[in-house]
Amino acid sequence: MPIPFIRRPDRTGRSPFSVAIEVPSDVYRIARLTITATVSYLLALYLLPSEAPPLLSPLTALLVTQYSVYDTIRAGILRVGAVTSGVLVAVLFSETIGFTWWTLGLAILAALSIGHALRLREHVLEAAISAMLIFALGAASESGALARFMETIVGAATGLVAGFLVPSVRVRPAEEAVADISERLRKLISDIAEGLRDERTPGEALHWQQETERLARDLARTDQALGAAEQSVKLNPRAWRIVDAGVALRNAMETMEHFTLTLRGLTRSLVDDERLGRHGRLLTDPVLRPRLADALAGVADGIAAYGRLARSDLDRRARPFKAEQNLEVRVDIARERRARLANELHERAAAGDLWPLYGEISMDIDRLVEQLRVEHRRRAREQWRRHRGTARHLPERPAKVVRQAGSQLRRAAGSAAAAAEEHARETDEELRPRRRPPGA
């Protein structure tokens, strides 16, 4: 009988590389946290002379250790800052005023104010908690304050080391989310195409619109998996080959989000045609209906090819020529079928039919096809690979500062090199023996 919390992920069809770098099991995370906390406690026992058990050290290690190396470093710095602020506030109030109920209130107020000033974010409360615990240890004695601070340092250091030694890679959930959305998009468009090839049924266009709306809502829920993938590859030594995976998957999801918005517009136009009743022509026309079905079937094949391409260039050295060629073929077929549909729509418009509705549907089909062009993905890939470097692992403001500093350093180096060349040229001219004119 399988244990419920031990999940065995489906590794069918995945490369050994992808399986080797990810261990998404809950057992792995539980074991990692348990070992980190235990090692932190043993280190605190060995390094810190204290009569009371140093339980703050494993607690800090548990709170600091995150899925990604970047988040672990960030949590460690913020937690040490919060504990240090709380300890200093408690010691200051104890040495100057003493412990009373209103001193406690002032200490909490000061600790929270300092935490917000230092932008400790979710660790703001830990500053006030540290101050209260220091008071509880014995009127904020220097020994108690120092012990709490050192236990926090040991726990944070242990968590950081564990984060670097056994970092997690959270790319697979985002990759599976992209695969799921692309497959659902393909199936939805294929179902619409199949419905258009069959006989008309009442309310079919409204059903297609509702399915598209449901898919658009589900798209918003994938942001957490994409964010985890982007964070897990930052500063991660195990993810050097897939350092672009997070941004590559987000680019694919943004493309499918735009695609879904266009599909919503198309289904809304079909609903409008259905509501016109006997005045509607597109869903009842024996020529336009199969033409639209053929165009949407070509778009569905293009979505399937785009989904494969989006998952084939996660490796930084990937060159997905076959996937790009397959997508180009599918897009060309979709363009040809779109052209046939556009010709039929123009003929109907010339005969006096409803061109505003036909024009809207034609524009939506054009957008669906154009959003799948290989050039868009290729340009995006070149851009994110060109911006590889230290700055991409930093938040937005520090990354901007690093880029500006690098640009200034490059300009300064170029100016220095040009000045050195000019100085060398002038020196060479001065040392060169001057020729005397003949007869002088």
Side-chain angles (χ1 to χ4, degrees), residues 409-421:
L409 287 175
R410 286 190 292 271
R411 286 198 297 267
S415 300
E421 291 179 0

mmCIF file with all atom_site columns, all heavy atoms in Angstrom, residues 409-421:
data_model
loop_
_atom_site.group_PDB
_atom_site.id
_atom_site.type_symbol
_atom_site.label_atom_id
_atom_site.label_alt_id
_atom_site.label_comp_id
_atom_site.label_asym_id
_atom_site.label_entity_id
_atom_site.label_seq_id
_atom_site.pdbx_PDB_ins_code
_atom_site.Cartn_x
_atom_site.Cartn_y
_atom_site.Cartn_z
_atom_site.occupancy
_atom_site.B_iso_or_equiv
_atom_site.pdbx_formal_charge
_atom_site.auth_seq_id
_atom_site.auth_comp_id
_atom_site.auth_asym_id
_atom_site.auth_atom_id
_atom_site.pdbx_PDB_model_num
ATOM 1  N N   . LEU A 1 409 ? 31.774 51.338 -16.013 1.00 0.00 ? 409 LEU A N   1
ATOM 2  C CA  . LEU A 1 409 ? 33.115 50.751 -16.002 1.00 0.00 ? 409 LEU A CA  1
ATOM 3  C C   . LEU A 1 409 ? 33.602 50.450 -17.413 1.00 0.00 ? 409 LEU A C   1
ATOM 4  O O   . LEU A 1 409 ? 34.782 50.653 -17.733 1.00 0.00 ? 409 LEU A O   1
ATOM 5  C CB  . LEU A 1 409 ? 33.114 49.477 -15.154 1.00 0.00 ? 409 LEU A CB  1
ATOM 6  C CG  . LEU A 1 409 ? 33.031 49.669 -13.638 1.00 0.00 ? 409 LEU A CG  1
ATOM 7  C CD1 . LEU A 1 409 ? 32.914 48.315 -12.940 1.00 0.00 ? 409 LEU A CD1 1
ATOM 8  C CD2 . LEU A 1 409 ? 34.266 50.414 -13.133 1.00 0.00 ? 409 LEU A CD2 1
ATOM 9  N N   . ARG A 1 410 ? 32.708 49.963 -18.266 1.00 0.00 ? 410 ARG A N   1
ATOM 10 C CA  . ARG A 1 410 ? 33.106 49.686 -19.645 1.00 0.00 ? 410 ARG A CA  1
ATOM 11 C C   . ARG A 1 410 ? 33.473 50.964 -20.381 1.00 0.00 ? 410 ARG A C   1
ATOM 12 O O   . ARG A 1 410 ? 34.444 51.002 -21.139 1.00 0.00 ? 410 ARG A O   1
ATOM 13 C CB  . ARG A 1 410 ? 31.979 48.939 -20.371 1.00 0.00 ? 410 ARG A CB  1
ATOM 14 C CG  . ARG A 1 410 ? 31.842 47.488 -19.974 1.00 0.00 ? 410 ARG A CG  1
ATOM 15 C CD  . ARG A 1 410 ? 30.892 46.761 -20.904 1.00 0.00 ? 410 ARG A CD  1
ATOM 16 N NE  . ARG A 1 410 ? 29.526 47.238 -20.745 1.00 0.00 ? 410 ARG A NE  1
ATOM 17 C CZ  . ARG A 1 410 ? 28.652 46.741 -19.890 1.00 0.00 ? 410 ARG A CZ  1
ATOM 18 N NH1 . ARG A 1 410 ? 29.028 45.749 -19.079 1.00 0.00 ? 410 ARG A NH1 1
ATOM 19 N NH2 . ARG A 1 410 ? 27.430 47.210 -19.805 1.00 0.00 ? 410 ARG A NH2 1
ATOM 20 N N   . ARG A 1 411 ? 32.701 52.046 -20.155 1.00 0.00 ? 411 ARG A N   1
ATOM 21 C CA  . ARG A 1 411 ? 33.041 53.319 -20.793 1.00 0.00 ? 411 ARG A CA  1
ATOM 22 C C   . ARG A 1 411 ? 34.367 53.861 -20.272 1.00 0.00 ? 411 ARG A C   1
ATOM 23 O O   . ARG A 1 411 ? 35.185 54.380 -21.040 1.00 0.00 ? 411 ARG A O   1
ATOM 24 C CB  . ARG A 1 411 ? 31.916 54.331 -20.550 1.00 0.00 ? 411 ARG A CB  1
ATOM 25 C CG  . ARG A 1 411 ? 30.675 54.080 -21.377 1.00 0.00 ? 411 ARG A CG  1
ATOM 26 C CD  . ARG A 1 411 ? 29.810 55.327 -21.427 1.00 0.00 ? 411 ARG A CD  1
ATOM 27 N NE  . ARG A 1 411 ? 29.335 55.700 -20.092 1.00 0.00 ? 411 ARG A NE  1
ATOM 28 C CZ  . ARG A 1 411 ? 28.183 55.311 -19.581 1.00 0.00 ? 411 ARG A CZ  1
ATOM 29 N NH1 . ARG A 1 411 ? 27.385 54.522 -20.285 1.00 0.00 ? 411 ARG A NH1 1
ATOM 30 N NH2 . ARG A 1 411 ? 27.820 55.706 -18.375 1.00 0.00 ? 411 ARG A NH2 1
ATOM 31 N N   . ALA A 1 412 ? 34.583 53.740 -18.948 1.00 0.00 ? 412 ALA A N   1
ATOM 32 C CA  . ALA A 1 412 ? 35.846 54.211 -18.374 1.00 0.00 ? 412 ALA A CA  1
ATOM 33 C C   . ALA A 1 412 ? 37.027 53.413 -18.916 1.00 0.00 ? 412 ALA A C   1
ATOM 34 O O   . ALA A 1 412 ? 38.090 53.970 -19.231 1.00 0.00 ? 412 ALA A O   1
ATOM 35 C CB  . ALA A 1 412 ? 35.796 54.122 -16.852 1.00 0.00 ? 412 ALA A CB  1
ATOM 36 N N   . ALA A 1 413 ? 36.846 52.089 -19.036 1.00 0.00 ? 413 ALA A N   1
ATOM 37 C CA  . ALA A 1 413 ? 37.923 51.262 -19.577 1.00 0.00 ? 413 ALA A CA  1
ATOM 38 C C   . ALA A 1 413 ? 38.220 51.618 -21.030 1.00 0.00 ? 413 ALA A C   1
ATOM 39 O O   . ALA A 1 413 ? 39.377 51.683 -21.457 1.00 0.00 ? 413 ALA A O   1
ATOM 40 C CB  . ALA A 1 413 ? 37.543 49.784 -19.455 1.00 0.00 ? 413 ALA A CB  1
ATOM 41 N N   . GLY A 1 414 ? 37.155 51.891 -21.805 1.00 0.00 ? 414 GLY A N   1
ATOM 42 C CA  . GLY A 1 414 ? 37.376 52.291 -23.190 1.00 0.00 ? 414 GLY A CA  1
ATOM 43 C C   . GLY A 1 414 ? 38.090 53.627 -23.300 1.00 0.00 ? 414 GLY A C   1
ATOM 44 O O   . GLY A 1 414 ? 38.993 53.796 -24.128 1.00 0.00 ? 414 GLY A O   1
ATOM 45 N N   . SER A 1 415 ? 37.702 54.576 -22.429 1.00 0.00 ? 415 SER A N   1
ATOM 46 C CA  . SER A 1 415 ? 38.378 55.884 -22.440 1.00 0.00 ? 415 SER A CA  1
ATOM 47 C C   . SER A 1 415 ? 39.837 55.753 -22.039 1.00 0.00 ? 415 SER A C   1
ATOM 48 O O   . SER A 1 415 ? 40.724 56.376 -22.626 1.00 0.00 ? 415 SER A O   1
ATOM 49 C CB  . SER A 1 415 ? 37.649 56.846 -21.502 1.00 0.00 ? 415 SER A CB  1
ATOM 50 O OG  . SER A 1 415 ? 36.313 57.021 -21.893 1.00 0.00 ? 415 SER A OG  1
ATOM 51 N N   . ALA A 1 416 ? 40.118 54.917 -21.012 1.00 0.00 ? 416 ALA A N   1
ATOM 52 C CA  . ALA A 1 416 ? 41.497 54.712 -20.576 1.00 0.00 ? 416 ALA A CA  1
ATOM 53 C C   . ALA A 1 416 ? 42.336 54.067 -21.668 1.00 0.00 ? 416 ALA A C   1
ATOM 54 O O   . ALA A 1 416 ? 43.498 54.449 -21.893 1.00 0.00 ? 416 ALA A O   1
ATOM 55 C CB  . ALA A 1 416 ? 41.519 53.856 -19.311 1.00 0.00 ? 416 ALA A CB  1
ATOM 56 N N   . ALA A 1 417 ? 41.749 53.078 -22.364 1.00 0.00 ? 417 ALA A N   1
ATOM 57 C CA  . ALA A 1 417 ? 42.489 52.429 -23.448 1.00 0.00 ? 417 ALA A CA  1
ATOM 58 C C   . ALA A 1 417 ? 42.780 53.414 -24.578 1.00 0.00 ? 417 ALA A C   1
ATOM 59 O O   . ALA A 1 417 ? 43.885 53.440 -25.136 1.00 0.00 ? 417 ALA A O   1
ATOM 60 C CB  . ALA A 1 417 ? 41.695 51.235 -23.970 1.00 0.00 ? 417 ALA A CB  1
ATOM 61 N N   . ALA A 1 418 ? 41.793 54.255 -24.914 1.00 0.00 ? 418 ALA A N   1
ATOM 62 C CA  . ALA A 1 418 ? 42.017 55.242 -25.971 1.00 0.00 ? 418 ALA A CA  1
ATOM 63 C C   . ALA A 1 418 ? 43.078 56.256 -25.560 1.00 0.00 ? 418 ALA A C   1
ATOM 64 O O   . ALA A 1 418 ? 43.943 56.646 -26.368 1.00 0.00 ? 418 ALA A O   1
ATOM 65 C CB  . ALA A 1 418 ? 40.698 55.948 -26.292 1.00 0.00 ? 418 ALA A CB  1
ATOM 66 N N   . ALA A 1 419 ? 43.052 56.692 -24.278 1.00 0.00 ? 419 ALA A N   1
ATOM 67 C CA  . ALA A 1 419 ? 44.060 57.644 -23.803 1.00 0.00 ? 419 ALA A CA  1
ATOM 68 C C   . ALA A 1 419 ? 45.447 57.019 -23.819 1.00 0.00 ? 419 ALA A C   1
ATOM 69 O O   . ALA A 1 419 ? 46.447 57.676 -24.164 1.00 0.00 ? 419 ALA A O   1
ATOM 70 C CB  . ALA A 1 419 ? 43.704 58.119 -22.394 1.00 0.00 ? 419 ALA A CB  1
ATOM 71 N N   . ALA A 1 420 ? 45.556 55.737 -23.449 1.00 0.00 ? 420 ALA A N   1
ATOM 72 C CA  . ALA A 1 420 ? 46.850 55.056 -23.467 1.00 0.00 ? 420 ALA A CA  1
ATOM 73 C C   . ALA A 1 420 ? 47.395 54.951 -24.883 1.00 0.00 ? 420 ALA A C   1
ATOM 74 O O   . ALA A 1 420 ? 48.594 55.157 -25.134 1.00 0.00 ? 420 ALA A O   1
ATOM 75 C CB  . ALA A 1 420 ? 46.710 53.675 -22.835 1.00 0.00 ? 420 ALA A CB  1
ATOM 76 N N   . GLU A 1 421 ? 46.507 54.626 -25.838 1.00 0.00 ? 421 GLU A N   1
ATOM 77 C CA  . GLU A 1 421 ? 46.956 54.552 -27.226 1.00 0.00 ? 421 GLU A CA  1
ATOM 78 C C   . GLU A 1 421 ? 47.420 55.922 -27.734 1.00 0.00 ? 421 GLU A C   1
ATOM 79 O O   . GLU A 1 421 ? 48.436 56.033 -28.441 1.00 0.00 ? 421 GLU A O   1
ATOM 80 C CB  . GLU A 1 421 ? 45.823 54.020 -28.103 1.00 0.00 ? 421 GLU A CB  1
ATOM 81 C CG  . GLU A 1 421 ? 45.487 52.559 -27.844 1.00 0.00 ? 421 GLU A CG  1
ATOM 82 C CD  . GLU A 1 421 ? 44.351 52.090 -28.727 1.00 0.00 ? 421 GLU A CD  1
ATOM 83 O OE1 . GLU A 1 421 ? 43.851 52.920 -29.517 1.00 0.00 ? 421 GLU A OE1 1
ATOM 84 O OE2 . GLU A 1 421 ? 43.956 50.915 -28.609 1.00 0.00 ? 421 GLU A OE2 1
#
